[in-house]
């Protein structure tokens, strides 16, 4: 299970997501950046910043 907390990149943002695959976490994070933070262009540096903040978490079962 992988998890991303937007507040680690955008101070004050409480949004987070969790999924089995890193690719799905990335997709959701990019969608969130576009819809919530108004990012119209997602540059490679943004992708790298998101990827570096994705953490592996234990399943809650």
């Amino acid at each position: 299970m992988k998890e991303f907390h937007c507040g680690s990149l955008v101070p004050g943002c409480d949004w987070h997501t969790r999924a089995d695959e890193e690719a799905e976490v990335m997709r959701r994070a990019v969608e969130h950046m576009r819809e919530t933070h108004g990012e119209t262009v997602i540059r490679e540096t943004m992708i790298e910043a998101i990827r570096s903040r994705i953490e592996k978490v234990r399943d809650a079962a």
Side-chain angles (χ1 to χ4, degrees), residues 14-47:
D14 293 330
W15 184 87
H16 65 278
T17 189
R18 182 183 286 186
D20 289 328
E21 300 295 325
E22 182 176 296
E24 179 61 16
V25 173
M26 288 295 299
R27 186 194 68 73
R28 293 176 187 177
V30 167
E31 181 178 276
H32 169 75
M33 293 305 241
R34 285 189 173 124
E35 293 179 359
T36 303
H37 300 298
E39 295 290 335
T40 56
V41 176
I42 306 297
R43 291 181 165 59
E44 185 63 29
T45 54
M46 177 70 74
I47 297 296

